[in-house]
Amino acid sequence: MVDPITVLAEPVRRRILDELRVTECSVGSLVDALAMSQPAVSKHLKVLREAGFVSSRTAAQQRIYRLEPEPFRALERWLAPYRRLWGTHLDALERHLEES
């Protein structure tokens, strides 16, 4: 299994996800938007696809990529306790600052 944090650590893959957050895209559209070579974009899309972050469908001669929600939900579940932890600390800081 591919570690999602490792997948998302790569800035180019995050840029691809940002593009796909707006709309589904072909490889060619991503190449243009990212100003990268087609082989480089395809390499990153393969990693994202294998990790489940994106899926593709064929339309004529193109592959159209889109985001898949489940890996993001899994990350959200993993991050939830950390959000609560930081929320508690920030609330305590706010109380301290109000008392000062």
Side-chain angles (χ1 to χ4, degrees), residues 22-88:
V22 176
T23 187
E24 296 181 350
C25 293
S26 67
V27 175
S29 295
L30 289 167
V31 165
D32 292 342
L34 301 171
M36 294 179 62
S37 71
Q38 184 274 325
V41 171
S42 292
K43 178 185 96 171
H44 289 294
L45 284 168
K46 179 181 179 191
V47 172
L48 289 167
R49 193 175 59 247
E50 288 175 351
F53 282 99
V54 301
S55 62
S56 66
R57 63 181 169 80
T58 303
Q61 299 291 325
Q62 296 182 333
R63 280 188 180 264
I64 307 298
Y65 286 85
R66 67 179 167 271
L67 293 180
E68 289 297 330
E70 187 49 41
F72 295 99
R73 288 184 190 125
L75 282 171
E76 177 67 25
R77 288 189 297 271
W78 183 80
L79 285 169
Y82 297 96
R83 276 202 190 91
R84 286 192 295 276
L85 174 71
W86 280 108
T88 301

Side-chain angles (χ1 to χ4, degrees), residues 81-99:
Y82 297 96
R83 276 202 190 91
R84 286 192 295 276
L85 174 71
W86 280 108
T88 301
H89 290 299
L90 291 173
D91 291 345
L93 176 61
E94 183 179 20
R95 284 191 301 278
H96 173 74
L97 293 174
E98 287 174 356
E99 293 170 2

